[in-house]
Amino acid sequence: MEAAKLAAQLTQHQKNALETIANQMARPGRGLLAADESVPTLGKRLVAAGLVNDEEMRRAYREVLFSHPDLGEYLSGAILFSETLGQRAVKDAEGRLFPALLQSKGVLPGVKVDLGLEPLDYSARETHTKGMNDLMERCQEFYAQGARFAKWRAVIRIDEAANLPTRACMQINSAELARYAAICQACGLVPIVEPEILIEGAHSAETFARVTEAALSEVYYTLAQAKVFLEGTLLKPQMIMPGVDSPSEGRPRPEEAARRTLEALRRRVPPAVPGVVFLSGGQTEEQATQNLNLINQLAKQPASSLRPSSTTCPWILSFSFGRSLQASVLATWDGKDENYEKAMEVAGALAKANAQAQLGEYQGPHPSVLKGQSLHETNRGWGASARVGGGKGESAAGATATVSPSGETAA
């Protein structure tokens, strides 16, 4: 069924429920833990730490992340991988499943519903996201398992020399995000809309801002065309920053990055959206916290000196961090049961620091144990040998679409 038809069938009761969940997620002083790494992605991190990548190790690691008694004071939600929905907390006295454990702390369980990326045939360095074929059935199952929101990651790559991103790539990914959002809402799940702009490359912050605004324009135009209920969604963007290979001289100060980020959101994101939850985007743990803090401090100031009574933004500005809430935890835990309590305290301290940053009240010191280590990873989730369905990919309406080298899309 087309996204607009799905959206048109939402009852007022369903809309009220979705809006309630979205506002529970977008609460002051709280954010989201992104613990939804796939088996291969988490496995690489475990192996790099000298640990085995098996189901029990993954379960034990995630129990460390979810077990701090005060987690609900700092987190409103946690994004899980599908495997994690059915796993139990063995150190919990009741042996509860992870979704029930999180709910007992006031943390809403969510789930990653995309199945990774694959290249577009016409542009092998650009991607679309897999997982649309059976998405309705999987979302219904995830809701039954306790999930109340979902995440789907679309990726936009910048390469000015190669004229990337193409308009067709933005259109395809926006259409998929709209269909995903409509399916999620039909199943009772609040969709997090994630058009991630990759930081790979030598592009400037100005270019990053321009592409961000273009991507957000395309996404919200397409969501509007699909009649997605915006009050029951969240946005997960990247903070505005130059590419990781850009010259170190002349890189913008954090205050300038915060200003550009707010400017892009203010120009392109509808006020109906309850919250914006940022990626940590390969920053160090401390940088991600400091930049979120700056964004929220700036958000309290007037949007323009010509309009001193205006506010910078109508949304809760928070975090949906993955490695910035995890890397120090994994380093501290190291797979050893005797380190469980200490690692759990690190998980709580990282969540608390970012909760303070959401309020613009973070002062430090930061609980990171990594001494400024970069958390950047290249080409996450992209199997470069994959192709889109033998040359055809699903459009937002569920039909097939072919894409020509010129970037034109024909349904």
Side-chain angles (χ1 to χ4, degrees), residues 197-198 203-212 238-241:
I197 315 296
L198 294 179
H203 50 269
S204 65
E206 291 86 351
T207 296
F208 198 103
R210 174 177 53 79
V211 173
T212 295
Q238 178 70 275
M239 298 177 190
I240 303 296
M241 59 184 67

Side-chain angles (χ1 to χ4, degrees), residues 129-150:
T129 306
K130 301 183 292 183
M132 196 64 73
N133 287 335
D134 61 347
L135 183 58
M136 177 76 78
E137 292 77 9
R138 289 189 294 116
C139 283
Q140 290 169 340
E141 180 181 348
F142 294 149
Y143 185 91
Q145 290 181 281
R148 290 298 176 265
F149 67 95

Side-chain angles (χ1 to χ4, degrees), residues 295-333:
I295 288 171
N296 277 286
Q297 289 178 341
L298 185 59
K300 298 175 182 179
Q301 300 174 14
S304 168
S305 60
L306 300 178
R307 292 178 288 128
S309 63
S310 65
T311 56
T312 305
C313 61
W315 326 275
I316 291 290
L317 298 168
S318 192
F319 59 92
S320 179
F321 292 168
R323 296 199 72 195
S324 288
L325 290 175
Q326 293 189 46
S328 282
V329 179
L330 180 57
T332 302
W333 178 56

Side-chain angles (χ1 to χ4, degrees), residues 72-151:
E73 297 296 316
Y74 318 126
L75 299 180
S76 59
I79 313 171
L80 311 183
F81 186 60
S82 55
E83 173 186 72
T84 316
L85 282 173
Q87 293 177 327
R88 293 186 182 274
V90 300
K91 292 184 180 294
D92 175 51
E94 300 176 35
R96 286 171 289 192
L97 292 168
F98 283 139
L101 177 70
L102 289 166
Q103 287 173 329
S104 74
K105 301 174 185 290
V107 179
L108 288 169
V111 62
K112 166 188 164 76
V113 298
D114 71 77
L115 300 179
L117 309 173
E118 59 186 6
L120 297 170
D121 276 346
Y122 84 94
S123 180
R125 295 182 63 219
E126 295 187 295
T127 60
H128 89 122
T129 306
K130 301 183 292 183
M132 196 64 73
N133 287 335
D134 61 347
L135 183 58
M136 177 76 78
E137 292 77 9
R138 289 189 294 116
C139 283
Q140 290 169 340
E141 180 181 348
F142 294 149
Y143 185 91
Q145 290 181 281
R148 290 298 176 265
F149 67 95
K151 190 201 85 169

Side-chain angles (χ1 to χ4, degrees), residues 119-127 155-170 173 196-204 206-212 214-215 379 382 403-407:
L120 297 170
D121 276 346
Y122 84 94
S123 180
R125 295 182 63 219
E126 295 187 295
T127 60
V155 165
I156 306 296
R157 179 182 295 276
I158 298 175
D159 186 334
E160 294 177 277
N163 295 316
L164 301 181
T166 60
R167 177 75 186 279
C169 176
M170 288 199 194
N173 280 285
E196 179 182 351
I197 315 296
L198 294 179
I199 60 173
E200 275 83 12
H203 50 269
S204 65
E206 291 86 351
T207 296
F208 198 103
R210 174 177 53 79
V211 173
T212 295
N379 291 341
W382 179 7
V403 185
S404 71
S406 66

